[in-house]
Amino acid sequence: EAGVAQSPRYKIIEKRQSVAFWCNPISGHATLYWYQQILGQGPKLLIQFQNNGVVDDSQLPKDRFSAERLKGVDSTLKIQPAKLEDSAVYLCASSLVAGVSRETQYFGPGTRLLVL
Amino acid sequence: GQQVMQIPQYQHVQEGEDFTTYCNSSTTLSNIQWYKQRPGGHPVFLIQLVKSGEVKKQKRLTFQFGEAKKNSSLHITATQTTDVGTYFCAGPGGGSQGNLIFGKGTKLSVKP
């Protein structure tokens, strides 16, 4: 079974530039998550999709971050414009069943973003 | 907001020594999950605990869920260099969305 795919793996940009990340979850997984992991900290949820609808984006900085999940499969996360404090690893995860905290989350390899 | 606290933040051990990390919540948790993240890698699911007082073992790893379901621990017996990484606990984030709140993790280094 293929895992969660993410691209790019690394990205270096200057502040105020824009960047986009892509995620392809495990086939058949209803729920998709985007996390931000700052160095030395645990993953922090940015947004959660259930199929193609948003169920939690309470911690997404909506003035600069946006995300979509078209057709309930792939997802993109965009930052525009980027700030220095956005330097982090952006992890995508998926789980099979929607709306159940007991479900195992499967993480992708992440995108390491460095904002200069 | 809901938080999951984890201690210690770092642990350096000699190979063969035991290791324990602790996870605490101010609220009762319906379940708790543990993940391992190798250096440069991504979190990988280890186990989930659901029942009060539950104890589960995976080879040299022992996971416990407190009686009050507010704390949990992970104990590794006789650490090996392959155990190196950061161990995270995660509890439900509240609501019905099924999201998780992760602790800050305990970074384990093992000296051969």
Side-chain angles (χ1 to χ4, degrees), chain B residues 6-8 11 18-24 32-37 44 46-47 49 54-66 71-77 79 83 85-89 105-106 108:
Chain B
Q6 224 177 318
I7 55 169
Q11 186 79 57
D18 292 355
F19 159 77
T20 304
T21 174
Y22 301 91
C23 184
N24 294 285
I32 194 158
Q33 298 184 15
W34 285 91
Y35 289 77
K36 177 184 178 181
Q37 186 172 22
V44 175
L46 293 176
I47 209 161
L49 303 172
E54 188 171 15
V55 178
K56 286 188 176 180
K57 292 189 176 183
Q58 289 180 350
K59 298 182 180 178
R60 295 176 294 102
L61 277 60
T62 302
F63 303 84
Q64 291 189 328
F65 202 9
N71 56 73
S72 180
S73 65
L74 158 58
H75 179 82
I76 302 179
T77 304
T79 55
D83 296 325
T86 301
Y87 294 84
F88 294 97
C89 61
T106 296
L108 172 65

Side-chain angles (χ1 to χ4, degrees), chain B residues 84-101:
Chain B
V84 165
T86 301
Y87 294 84
F88 294 97
C89 61
S96 60
Q97 299 91 346
N99 56 23
L100 293 174
I101 300 292

Side-chain angles (χ1 to χ4, degrees), chain B residues 4-19:
Chain B
V4 174
M5 308 301 293
Q6 224 177 318
I7 55 169
Q9 190 173 357
Y10 303 96
Q11 186 79 57
H12 309 283
V13 300
Q14 192 78 33
E15 188 173 23
E17 292 181 339
D18 292 355
F19 159 77

